[in-house]
Amino acid sequence: GQQLNQSPQSMFIQEGEDVSMNCTSSSIFNTWLWYKQDPGEGPVLLIALYKAGELTSNGRLTAQFGITRKDSFLNISASIPSDVGIYFCARCESNFGNEKLTFGTGTRLTIIP
Amino acid sequence: NAGVTQTPKFRVLKTGQSMTLLCAQDMNHEYMYWYRQDPGMGLRLIHYSVGEGTTAKGEVPDGYNVSRLKKQNFLLGLESAAPSQTSVYFCASSHQRNQPQHFGDGTRLSIL
């Protein structure tokens, strides 16, 4: 199947630092989604991107859909303790009207006190 | 606001036992999904449904069955549990195609 490569796999940062992570695909597609998962909970949608080149913000989070439609990045500015968690990119694949979501392997964010 | 509710939250089974996981959503969503999440991996789609009475296979369907008798419920069944099915299972729903999915909090299943 199609692969999503997410990097880095893990990040250790200090509170207040900015964070950047990205996701690349071997093929083009029409929708990028970024989710965050806290321990013991399900993924929660952060940002959805629907157009190539689209840049969308949600508070301190900013995500962009690459022009080539094969990549996306997520930035977090001025990180705070509650940003800790696993961030997943996902692509939305529609086939004959059926929607399927493929997830990246995740970026685990840890904030060092 | 309940959203997507999964029951049970935890379960330990012996190899060969059967089990049904329940997912309920109160958002009147058409689409529902079952995923499994294993360490170091993203979520993988097991089965999904595009409406009441319909189901389809996802990426890793073997060993699982599903049913969508009511629009708000999506059941995942393990007929004969195997240790390889030890995982965290997530249910999700969405209103339409290309709409983001909303997830439940997961069911942690251990098979001994």
Side-chain angles (χ1 to χ4, degrees):
Chain A
Q2 303 295 338
Q3 291 187 336
L4 282 183
N5 297 311
Q6 192 170 346
S7 64
Q9 291 186 349
S10 60
M11 302 182 72
F12 295 85
I13 63 169
Q14 291 189 324
E15 183 177 350
E17 287 187 31
D18 295 342
V19 173
S20 183
M21 60 190 78
N22 66 79
C23 211
T24 60
S25 171
S26 56
S27 60
I28 62 173
F29 50 92
N30 296 322
T31 303
W32 267 118
L33 304 171
W34 284 95
Y35 284 86
K36 182 195 176 198
Q37 186 177 23
D38 291 326
E41 299 184 12
V44 174
L45 181 69
L46 298 174
I47 292 178
L49 302 163
Y50 298 103
K51 295 181 182 179
E54 180 180 355
L55 182 70
T56 298
S57 294
N58 178 7
R60 294 178 295 105
L61 277 63
T62 302
Q64 184 161 27
F65 194 157
I67 290 291
T68 63
R69 293 166 60 194
K70 290 185 177 183
D71 62 344
S72 176
F73 71 75
L74 175 70
N75 288 343
I76 305 172
S77 62
S79 59
I80 60 178
S82 62
D83 291 334
V84 167
I86 305 176
Y87 293 80
F88 290 100
C89 62
R91 66 175 178 87
C92 193
E93 174 184 352
S94 291
N95 185 25
F96 299 105
N98 301 325
E99 176 191 0
K100 291 198 286 187
L101 213 58
T102 301
F103 284 83
T105 53
T107 295
R108 183 181 295 274
L109 180 63
T110 302
I111 294 181
I112 305 169
Chain B
N1 295 329
V4 178
T5 303
Q6 291 183 232
T7 53
K9 295 188 184 303
F10 306 95
R11 183 62 62 91
V12 178
L13 294 177
K14 293 182 180 179
T15 297
Q17 286 185 316
S18 62
M19 169 83 193
T20 299
L21 279 62
L22 172 64
C23 177
Q25 53 94 4
D26 61 1
M27 298 172 282
N28 200 34
H29 284 173
E30 289 292 334
Y31 294 76
M32 295 187 75
Y33 312 81
W34 274 107
Y35 294 88
R36 60 178 288 173
Q37 185 177 33
D38 300 298
M41 303 181 72
L43 285 82
R44 293 182 293 168
L45 184 65
I46 303 172
H47 286 280
Y48 64 100
S49 168
V50 301
E52 181 178 325
T54 70
T55 63
K57 293 180 179 180
E59 181 184 355
V60 288
D62 293 342
Y64 304 95
N65 57 75
V66 289
S67 65
R68 184 97 181 270
L69 299 179
K70 294 183 178 181
K71 185 177 183 179
Q72 64 268 33
N73 295 336
F74 195 28
L75 278 63
L76 177 71
L78 287 73
E79 290 187 350
S80 180
S84 62
Q85 294 178 304
T86 294
S87 187
V88 182
Y89 291 85
F90 287 97
C91 176
S93 70
S94 64
H95 183 54
Q96 297 175 346
R97 55 177 290 197
N98 289 333
Q99 293 295 309
Q101 296 174 14
H102 300 265
F103 285 81
D105 286 339
T107 295
R108 185 173 296 275
L109 188 61
S110 294
I111 298 159
L112 307 178

